Amino acid sequence: HSRRWPGVRAWLPVLRWLPRYSAAWLQLDAVAGLSVGLAAVPQALAYAEVAGLPPQYGLYASFMGCFVYCFLGTAKDVTLGPTAIMSLLVSSYAFHEPAYAILLAFLSGCIQLAMGFLRLGFLLDFVSCPVIKGFTSAASVTISFNQIKNILGLQGIPRQFFLQVYEILRRIGETRAGDAVLGLACLAALAGLQVMKSHLPRVAHVEPLAARVSYLIVWTSTTARNALVVLFAGLVAYSFQVMGFQPLTLTGSIPQGLPAFRLPPFSVAAPNGTVPFWSMVEDMGVGLAVVPLMGLLETVAIAKAFGTAVPGSREGSLQGFANVLGSFVSAYPITGSFGRTAVNAQSGVCTPAGGLITGAVVLLSLAYLTSLFYYIPKAALAAVIISAVVPMFDVGIFRTLWRVKRLDLVPLCVTFLLCFWEVQYGIVAGVLVSGVLLLYSIARPPVKVLKGDVLLVQPGSSLHFPAMECLRDAVCSHALAASLPRSVILDCCHVSSIDYTVVVGLAELLQELRKHGLSLAFCSLQVRGMQPWPAPCRVLPLLPTPRVSPTPQERCRGAEPGDGGAAPYTSTSESSLLPTGLIQ
């Protein structure tokens, strides 16, 4: 059937690899899925804390994306689930209420589905790399500092960044020694295991069995370092509990069992009544635009980083479907996870089927292990979060932009600084600043002016209506303000498109030059709609391109008005001076 209807394979990528699935692939996918699952469970518990939700909601958000991506995913390495950045956004727009978080997942999924079906993935192209880097770097600092309170064992710390800094510094003397020691030990262990993994040499098949077994043990320990550290911390906490003395702050009770499959909440009970659907939507506000866009950006960027070009429109449909289905099992919004995707790739995953194993691990944890999660110290989960988000802070981007294009530092710094105030303000301001810089480059294109018997004006790019005033000033300042007025030749070799406002502006410029007895001629026209031009404006037809690119003077040779070489030009009647006659 997939051969008979290729469109089915386009929408169900599982049909591309499932007929060729082999036992060798199954073995590698199982290892990769188990490795990702061991990393996903402790991260899910930790990210729920970042989102301001009970720990079980992190697990609820961790399995549906794995199952959906197995059937609809095109990149074998990508895994969907809760992430630090998405959890931070949920914290900002869900107000620490599970009902708001679940509804946000549903509405974000619907918006992403609409973007996919309407092919609006190109909107992601308007979020520049400096804006993304500024946001992720600020998120790294914000999330890390948000976990300092758990490392120090402090309670009642506000979630706003600047208030957090003030309160933590003011109450630093209330630090719980047990939490601080365990948290710092977990951070050191995670950092050491990460360094060990990055320096772990590959072992060839010809090596002795003992060497291969040792490599497997070390690789498993470093890959599942989050689970290993959380397990060790949980054993320490349980030992204190048995002795009747508990110096650590524990996660506490987590409801056991799988979440019910039901509609997301379209209203929520409040002390003074019921908050209806439209009021909830108004409360989430701009989050309904920021969360879907940032989710798609994360997934597309991760797929590209691992060598898979994923169209934004298709990824919108896939991720939207995962978020909509996830909202039926009480999940909050999910996106692609860079850390778990890296584990998936390093484990040698062959197909998206590894997600089935990862999802099964999360479901088994929900069904049978939640009673054990009671003893996980919050300091250990905070260490997992900090070790995951610290690499997101890109120190080198500032130096790189300084060397490449210093103006790009403006949206980077605007986004970075404002995200400490409110996430949505930072992202929106960064996009607006990037848009202004883009529009400025369109409104002020480079214009090269060569003086001689005539004035040769060469725009460096296409002409759009904001650029008309710049072009007019360049022509008039050199052609009319000079001691010896000159006729003008407009070299359009770099102009591939113009708009109606430019046509009107050129017609007005032509009239202004005619008042001073000057002519306006064009050469190297590439826009069909710009022909024919009104007299005395003359057009030099395009000549065959020589092997060596000619200079602008050579390209426009013979274009000087009044030199008797009018043969290369075509003239039109005076009636075609109207702008409407310039557009076909």
Side-chain angles (χ1 to χ4, degrees):
H1 292 292
S2 61
R3 292 179 181 176
R4 199 174 301 172
W5 298 300
V8 176
R9 298 182 65 183
W11 285 101
L12 282 176
V14 64
L15 298 178
R16 303 176 189 172
W17 52 265
L18 187 59
R20 301 180 288 112
Y21 203 75
S22 63
W25 287 6
L26 176 61
Q27 180 181 358
L28 292 172
D29 286 345
V31 171
L34 183 60
S35 302
V36 175
L38 292 176
V41 171
Q43 279 190 345
L45 298 172
Y47 289 153
E49 161 68 22
V50 176
L53 301 173
Q56 66 268 22
Y57 285 93
L59 295 172
Y60 295 164
S62 297
F63 63 87
M64 185 60 74
C66 299
F67 297 143
V68 171
Y69 207 87
C70 174
F71 295 97
L72 302 180
T74 54
K76 64 182 180 63
D77 301 314
V78 173
T79 60
L80 296 182
T83 65
I85 288 179
M86 192 55 63
S87 300
L88 178 64
L89 293 176
V90 170
S91 172
S92 300
Y93 299 115
F95 318 109
H96 312 160
E97 288 287 341
Y100 275 88
I102 297 168
L103 183 61
L104 181 60
F106 176 77
L107 295 178
S108 297
C110 292
I111 293 171
Q112 289 169 337
L113 279 172
M115 291 179 63
F117 289 135
L118 298 176
R119 300 191 178 276
L120 299 179
F122 69 91
L123 294 176
L124 303 178
D125 299 335
F126 290 96
V127 184
S128 64
C129 183
V131 173
I132 298 173
K133 288 292 186 180
F135 167 66
T136 54
S137 297
S140 174
V141 176
T142 302
I143 295 171
S144 298
F145 211 89
N146 185 43
Q147 297 306 309
I148 295 297
K149 66 179 186 294
N150 291 326
I151 294 286
L152 301 179
L154 300 178
Q155 304 291 331
I157 301 296
R159 301 186 70 87
Q160 210 281 335
F161 178 75
F162 296 108
L163 293 178
Q164 275 184 4
V165 175
Y166 172 75
E167 283 294 319
I168 288 177
L169 293 178
R170 187 178 68 87
R171 297 172 54 188
I172 194 72
E174 303 175 15
T175 300
R176 292 168 59 101
D179 286 323
V181 171
L182 180 67
L184 293 176
C186 290
L187 279 175
L190 289 169
L193 291 171
Q194 174 64 35
V195 172
M196 185 185 301
K197 183 176 183 179
S198 62
H199 292 82
L200 187 64
R202 300 288 297 180
V203 176
H205 292 289
V206 296
E207 296 287 341
L209 178 62
R212 284 182 286 164
V213 171
S214 301
Y215 170 81
L216 181 61
I217 294 174
V218 174
W219 181 87
T220 303
S221 301
T222 53
T223 300
R225 57 187 178 276
N226 290 335
L228 197 63
V229 168
V230 169
L231 177 62
F232 171 78
L235 290 175
V236 171
Y238 181 74
S239 301
F240 281 119
Q241 191 81 4
V242 170
M243 292 187 296
F245 171 69
Q246 188 55 265
L248 305 174
T249 304
L250 304 182
T251 299
S253 300
I254 297 177
Q256 187 170 357
L258 305 181
F261 190 86
R262 59 191 175 193
L263 286 172
F266 294 105
S267 62
V268 61
N272 56 350
T274 301
V275 180
F277 172 73
W278 290 113
S279 297
M280 297 176 70
V281 171
E282 290 177 3
D283 291 339
M284 288 185 280
V286 72
L288 294 176
V290 173
V291 171
L293 285 177
M294 294 307 299
L296 289 180
L297 274 174
E298 271 200 272
T299 305
V300 172
I302 290 170
K304 289 181 179 178
F306 286 88
T308 304
V310 179
S313 299
R314 171 171 180 78
E315 198 60 32
S317 302
L318 190 158
Q319 192 168 318
F321 192 59
N323 273 320
V324 169
L325 282 182
S327 68
F328 283 79
V329 291
S330 303
Y332 66 83
I334 61 174
T335 183
S337 166
F338 190 89
R340 295 192 293 274
T341 299
V343 172
N344 214 17
Q346 294 166 2
S347 303
V349 69
C350 296
T351 68
L356 294 177
I357 307 298
T358 302
V361 170
V362 175
L363 290 177
L364 289 174
S365 301
L366 275 169
Y368 302 108
L369 301 180
T370 51
S371 59
L372 301 179
F373 295 158
Y374 176 91
Y375 298 101
I376 297 178
K378 287 189 174 182
L381 294 179
V384 169
I385 295 173
I386 293 174
S387 65
V389 300
V390 164
M392 288 165 38
F393 188 88
D394 191 353
V395 180
I397 189 63
F398 295 91
R399 182 177 63 254
T400 302
L401 292 182
W402 182 263
R403 295 172 57 188
V404 175
K405 187 178 181 181
R406 296 177 183 178
L407 202 59
D408 281 342
L409 286 170
V410 177
L412 172 72
C413 294
V414 167
T415 306
F416 179 76
L417 295 176
L418 287 183
C419 277
F420 291 118
W421 179 25
E422 288 288 348
V423 172
Q424 63 268 28
Y425 296 155
I427 296 174
V428 172
V431 171
L432 289 178
V433 171
S434 295
V436 169
L437 295 178
L438 176 63
L439 291 176
Y440 183 83
S441 65
I442 295 175
R444 296 293 180 268
V447 178
K448 187 176 182 180
V449 179
L450 299 176
K451 298 180 181 179
D453 295 335
V454 295
L455 195 69
L456 183 65
V457 180
Q458 185 186 76
S461 63
S462 295
L463 296 175
H464 301 284
F465 65 92
M468 189 58 226
E469 198 63 32
C470 174
L471 180 63
R472 177 195 293 274
D473 292 342
V475 171
C476 294
S477 62
H478 291 87
L480 301 180
S483 57
L484 180 62
R486 300 179 179 91
S487 295
V488 180
I489 299 175
L490 192 62
D491 184 3
C492 302
C493 62
H494 300 301
V495 180
S496 59
S497 66
I498 63 169
D499 56 32
Y500 179 76
T501 305
V502 174
V503 174
V504 173
L506 289 175
E508 294 174 352
L509 178 61
L510 172 61
Q511 291 178 344
E512 187 172 352
L513 291 175
R514 288 181 63 193
K515 293 178 182 178
H516 295 80
L518 303 177
S519 299
L520 176 63
F522 296 81
C523 67
S524 300
L525 286 177
Q526 303 179 52
V527 184
R528 295 178 57 189
M530 292 175 63
Q531 299 180 19
W533 286 93
C537 173
R538 296 181 284 184
V539 181
L540 174 64
L542 285 174
L543 301 176
T545 304
R547 291 181 180 273
V548 180
S549 299
T551 63
Q553 293 89 341
E554 293 171 336
R555 197 163 41 237
C556 300
R557 183 173 297 155
E560 292 82 351
D563 63 353
Y569 302 100
T570 59
S571 298
T572 61
S573 63
E574 293 288 339
S575 61
S576 63
L577 181 62
L578 296 175
T580 53
L582 304 181
I583 301 295
Q584 294 179 348

